[in-house]
Amino acid sequence: MKELEIKLRRNVLSKNEETAAHLRKIFAEHRLLVINMLSSPGSGKTTLLEKTAHALAPGLGIAVIVGDLQTERDAVRIRNAGVPATQINTDRGCHLSARMVADALPQVDLDAADVLFIENVGNLVCPASYDLGEDFAVVLASVPEGDDKPAKYPTAMLKADLIVLNKIDLAPYTNFSFERFRLDVQKIKPTLDVLEVSCTEEVGLQNWFEWLKTKVAQKQALH
Amino acid sequence: MKELEIKLRRNVLSKNEETAAHLRKIFAEHRLLVINMLSSPGSGKTTLLEKTAHALAPGLGIAVIVGDLQTERDAVRIRNAGVPATQINTDRGCHLSARMVADALPQVDLDAADVLFIENVGNLVCPASYDLGEDFAVVLASVPEGDDKPAKYPTAMLKADLIVLNKIDLAPYTNFSFERFRLDVQKIKPTLDVLEVSCTEEVGLQNWFEWLKTKVAQKQALH
């Protein structure tokens, strides 16, 4: 039984790789930068996208695919920020797969977009194993979750190309240590950058916007 | 492929049910109250257990099994609070299974304990599908995660017998609405109680201790 389970898991992941490779080709044809956003529930993924939309759209073409077990709430919030959003409801599903993204893709105007954000299901474990054909995985952490999260969720950290550490405005009311957080990140992946931001207080967002614009420009220069 | 996947998942879950039933029998023989604690990463499960240990042990016999992908940190914290703790590292595993608990059980002194807490992997999705033979599932939510979590994670809410809403001391610095939170909980499961606490400020913990002591007394009166 255990063997069959492992075999099937391998099969599911290799099928996912195939679909992700197919997605990557489509994204490349459209010179579209794709960012897979991973985090715990409530780290502020949707708020970061709202702020990004308000600051950069429509000068920068932004499209969003949002994964949630239930509700259309996040897609509605993002649409209210002036950006098209497609909601995928996974029901009990703990992550987005490349197949789910491929199925949602006909609803996304790939030619109008410079960057596609895929807001994954709020879960620091399972989404880390599924390639969605993205250029970059961004892990959003948040101060009230505690400084021990990198050490406790190394799979997500290893997948990450960038960490955005949100809610730094709450640091004075917690025992969060920026040093402990950074030390643990460094131990796991020394090349991994951490951008400190507060979405609600609009602190540090400029660094995130710059990172994003640089990556879009690099992707568009590739052809 | 999809069919095989569904069949295997059903098989895994039914195997888990079997092992959970076996655990439930062992727990009953020891008149041991067992609580499965579910939450997002960083909601404060370990801190709640530390506070519970400091307030109630050794008058109340407490034992803890802790699930994490990596590190022994939570078990160390709980031991430092004077309570025996067994750490299960799941590596990439997104939840505890009844089998993992059964395998860890020989390390737990069941006769010395009145209550066994099983601190699940920080994940609001997958652990909700796995029965661990517990008497009660307690979902720990926290204010900075936002008031939309019940609506977005209904599987965990449906499994829950009690919600402990932690970090209420941070409410003044966020846009969290206790009313929206409670309304969503009511829509999903009208019988579900919410206890508001702040572990760091030690607010509302008395209600949690009372709930716990009542459940322990009820379990011990069963025989």
Side-chain angles (χ1 to χ4, degrees):
Chain A
M1 198 61 205
K2 193 72 197 169
E3 239 171 77
L4 182 64
E5 227 180 298
I6 292 167
K7 205 170 149 190
L8 187 82
R9 187 178 149 80
R10 247 189 239 136
N11 217 313
V12 165
L13 285 177
S14 91
K15 267 265 169 213
N16 189 76
E17 289 305 311
E18 259 175 52
T19 314
H22 173 68
L23 285 173
R24 199 166 269 119
K25 238 171 101 180
I26 297 174
F27 297 150
E29 280 163 17
H30 289 83
R31 300 186 186 192
L32 181 62
L33 181 77
V34 178
I35 295 180
N36 183 1
M37 302 196 70
L38 282 70
S39 87
S40 305
S43 301
K45 293 185 296 301
T46 311
T47 307
L48 181 66
L49 292 180
E50 285 173 321
K51 296 289 175 182
T52 308
H54 282 305
L56 304 183
L60 186 78
I62 300 177
V64 180
I65 292 175
V66 196
D68 270 307
L69 276 67
Q70 298 277 343
T71 84
E72 177 98 3
R73 289 185 190 189
D74 288 354
V76 169
R77 284 174 58 193
I78 289 162
R79 281 177 211 135
N80 287 342
V83 154
T86 305
Q87 180 87 47
I88 300 175
N89 279 144
T90 61
D91 188 18
R92 283 163 175 259
C94 48
H95 62 271
L96 291 179
S97 66
R99 173 49 48 209
M100 293 178 202
V101 173
D103 289 346
L105 222 49
Q107 297 169 61
V108 181
D109 185 349
L110 299 178
D111 290 318
D114 300 302
V115 54
L116 169 65
F117 289 103
I118 305 175
E119 187 186 327
N120 221 311
V121 175
N123 177 346
L124 261 189
V125 191
C126 315
S129 299
Y130 290 81
D131 184 1
L132 305 180
E134 71 268 12
D135 297 287
F136 297 100
V138 173
V139 167
L140 194 62
S142 78
V143 162
E145 293 166 40
D147 49 44
D148 59 349
K149 292 304 153 293
K152 289 172 70 180
Y153 297 87
T155 325
M157 298 302 139
L158 284 169
K159 184 180 172 71
D161 299 295
L162 177 73
I163 296 182
V164 177
L165 174 58
N166 190 22
K167 306 193 191 181
I168 57 169
D169 56 298
L170 295 179
Y173 316 112
T174 71
N175 61 359
F176 188 93
S177 158
F178 289 92
E179 200 192 340
R180 276 199 300 266
F181 186 91
R182 282 178 179 274
L183 275 176
D184 279 348
V185 169
Q186 251 174 7
K187 268 186 223 157
I188 295 165
K189 193 172 181 178
T191 56
L192 193 54
D193 266 344
V194 179
L195 299 183
E196 298 175 7
V197 308
S198 161
C199 284
T200 54
E201 302 294 317
E202 306 199 346
V203 174
L205 289 174
Q206 221 43 317
N207 294 331
W208 159 246
F209 299 152
E210 286 311 314
W211 182 90
L212 188 61
K213 286 190 281 186
T214 305
K215 297 305 179 190
V216 167
Q218 285 169 350
K219 180 82 185 222
Q220 294 185 346
L222 272 182
H223 287 255
Chain B
M1 197 62 201
K2 193 74 196 165
E3 238 171 77
L4 182 64
E5 225 180 299
I6 293 168
K7 207 171 148 190
L8 186 81
R9 186 178 150 78
R10 246 188 240 137
N11 216 312
V12 166
L13 285 177
S14 91
K15 267 266 170 213
N16 189 75
E17 289 304 311
E18 260 175 52
T19 313
H22 173 66
L23 285 173
R24 198 165 269 119
K25 240 172 98 180
I26 297 174
F27 297 149
E29 281 163 16
H30 290 82
R31 299 184 187 193
L32 182 63
L33 181 77
V34 179
I35 295 182
N36 183 0
M37 302 197 70
L38 282 70
S39 86
S40 306
S43 300
K45 294 187 292 303
T46 311
T47 307
L48 182 66
L49 292 180
E50 285 174 319
K51 295 290 174 182
T52 307
H54 282 305
L56 304 182
L60 187 76
I62 300 177
V64 180
I65 292 175
V66 196
D68 271 308
L69 276 67
Q70 297 277 345
T71 84
E72 176 99 3
R73 291 186 189 191
D74 287 354
V76 169
R77 285 174 57 192
I78 289 162
R79 281 178 211 135
N80 286 342
V83 154
T86 305
Q87 180 88 46
I88 301 174
N89 279 145
T90 61
D91 189 21
R92 282 162 176 257
C94 49
H95 62 270
L96 291 179
S97 67
R99 172 51 46 208
M100 292 178 205
V101 174
D103 289 346
L105 222 48
Q107 296 170 62
V108 181
D109 185 349
L110 298 177
D111 290 318
D114 301 302
V115 55
L116 169 65
F117 289 103
I118 305 174
E119 188 186 325
N120 221 312
V121 175
N123 178 345
L124 261 187
V125 190
C126 315
S129 299
Y130 290 81
D131 184 0
L132 305 180
E134 72 267 11
D135 297 287
F136 297 100
V138 173
V139 167
L140 194 64
S142 78
V143 161
E145 293 167 40
D147 50 43
D148 58 349
K149 291 304 154 294
K152 289 172 73 181
Y153 296 86
T155 325
M157 299 300 140
L158 285 169
K159 183 180 174 69
D161 299 294
L162 177 72
I163 295 181
V164 177
L165 175 58
N166 190 22
K167 307 192 189 180
I168 59 169
D169 55 297
L170 295 179
Y173 316 111
T174 71
N175 61 359
F176 188 93
S177 158
F178 290 91
E179 200 192 339
R180 276 197 300 266
F181 186 91
R182 283 179 178 273
L183 275 175
D184 279 347
V185 169
Q186 251 174 9
K187 267 186 221 154
I188 295 164
K189 193 171 181 180
T191 55
L192 192 54
D193 266 345
V194 179
L195 298 184
E196 298 174 5
V197 307
S198 161
C199 284
T200 55
E201 302 294 317
E202 306 200 344
V203 173
L205 289 174
Q206 221 46 31
N207 294 329
W208 158 246
F209 299 152
E210 287 311 314
W211 182 90
L212 187 61
K213 286 190 279 186
T214 305
K215 297 305 181 192
V216 167
Q218 286 170 353
K219 180 81 185 227
Q220 295 185 344
L222 271 182
H223 287 255

